[in-house]
Amino acid sequence: LSCTNLNLDKLSLGFLSAQYAFILAAEEDLPGSSADELESILLFEDRPAVMVHPNHPFASRTSVDIRELTQQTLFLPMQGTAQYERFVKLFVANGVAFPNATSCSYQFYRNLVEDQMGIAFSTEHTGKNDRSNIRYIPIDNICASWKMKLYWHNRPLTEDETAFKTFAQEFYRI
C-alpha cells in the first residue's frame, strides 16, 4: 500500500487515482461531490485543539477561546492541506480575523512547541495518541466536530486493501 500527503489542489486534479486505494478525510475536505462517489466508513470524530508546551499558560486550562489565539505566536499545518483549510474556516465561522501564523510541517511545528517558541493548531485526536509532555487544549468554537472517514472506490478490494481497511477500523475504533 502506498501513502501520500497530497495537498488539496493535487487531490482535486487527480482525485483518488488508482495509485491510492484510500483517503482519510472529513467529507468537507473532499472536492465537490466526491464523497458521494465513494464508499466510506466513519473512523472517528475530531475537534480543533492547540498544542502547547506544559509551561505555557494555556496548558492548565480545559479549553481556550479562539479569540485568545490571535495574541499568540502560532504555527499552522502547511497551506493547501485540508487541516489548514479547516482552521481557516474555524476563524471565519467564529467571526475572528485569521491571525498571522507560520505554516510548516507537523514535525517542525511540534518541535517549535517543544522549544517553547509558540503554540500550534492540532486536533484532540492527535493529542490522545501523543505520549510526550505536550498538552492539547480544545478550542472553544461554534463548528461541529470533524467526522473523519476512510474513503475508497466502489469496487472489490484486494486482500491487502481489505487488511488495511480492517486495521484502520481497529486503530481508530470509536
Side-chain angles (χ1 to χ4, degrees), residues 22 24 41-44 150 162-173:
F22 298 98
L24 173 63
I41 53 171
L42 177 65
L43 295 178
F44 61 95
L150 186 68
T162 301
F164 176 79
K165 179 182 162 203
T166 301
F167 166 79
Q169 287 176 286
E170 292 297 317
F171 182 81
Y172 292 108
R173 184 178 302 276

Side-chain angles (χ1 to χ4, degrees), residues 28-82:
E28 59 268 18
D29 296 342
L30 302 181
S33 61
S34 302
D36 297 337
E37 302 166 18
L38 302 169
E39 296 293 319
S40 68
I41 53 171
L42 177 65
L43 295 178
F44 61 95
E45 293 191 31
D46 210 354
R47 298 193 57 79
V50 287
M51 178 190 304
V52 301
H53 187 275
N55 294 337
H56 191 280
F58 291 166
S60 62
R61 309 233 325 243
T62 57
S63 66
V64 64
D65 187 289
I66 193 168
R67 290 176 288 276
E68 294 176 278
L69 302 178
T70 61
Q71 305 302 314
Q72 300 290 317
T73 300
L74 295 171
F75 306 110
L76 289 163
M78 298 296 291
Q79 288 186 10
T81 62

Side-chain angles (χ1 to χ4, degrees), residues 9-157:
D9 292 339
K10 290 178 184 171
L11 182 62
S12 297
L13 291 174
F15 183 71
L16 199 54
S17 68
Q19 182 181 1
Y20 303 105
F22 298 98
I23 183 170
L24 173 63
E27 186 171 339
E28 59 268 18
D29 296 342
L30 302 181
S33 61
S34 302
D36 297 337
E37 302 166 18
L38 302 169
E39 296 293 319
S40 68
I41 53 171
L42 177 65
L43 295 178
F44 61 95
E45 293 191 31
D46 210 354
R47 298 193 57 79
V50 287
M51 178 190 304
V52 301
H53 187 275
N55 294 337
H56 191 280
F58 291 166
S60 62
R61 309 233 325 243
T62 57
S63 66
V64 64
D65 187 289
I66 193 168
R67 290 176 288 276
E68 294 176 278
L69 302 178
T70 61
Q71 305 302 314
Q72 300 290 317
T73 300
L74 295 171
F75 306 110
L76 289 163
M78 298 296 291
Q79 288 186 10
T81 62
Q83 194 172 39
Y84 178 90
E85 295 302 323
R86 277 189 246 132
F87 286 121
V88 169
K89 290 175 186 174
L90 179 64
F91 277 87
V92 170
N94 283 275
V96 178
F98 193 69
N100 287 332
T102 302
S103 289
C104 46
S105 71
Y106 170 80
Q107 192 58 52
F108 188 67
Y109 69 66
R110 191 178 189 296
N111 290 340
L112 291 170
V113 170
E114 286 178 337
D115 291 341
Q116 301 186 53
M117 302 296 292
I119 65 175
F121 284 98
S122 190
T123 67
E124 289 183 22
H125 181 76
T126 302
K128 289 177 185 174
N129 296 310
D130 191 337
R131 302 291 182 243
S132 72
N133 62 349
I134 296 294
R135 305 286 186 266
Y136 292 78
I137 311 302
I139 300 172
D140 292 332
N141 62 82
I142 58 171
C143 83
S145 63
W146 299 317
K147 292 176 175 34
M148 303 303 294
K149 296 181 178 182
L150 186 68
Y151 291 92
W152 64 93
H153 289 289
N154 186 5
R155 62 165 173 72
L157 298 176

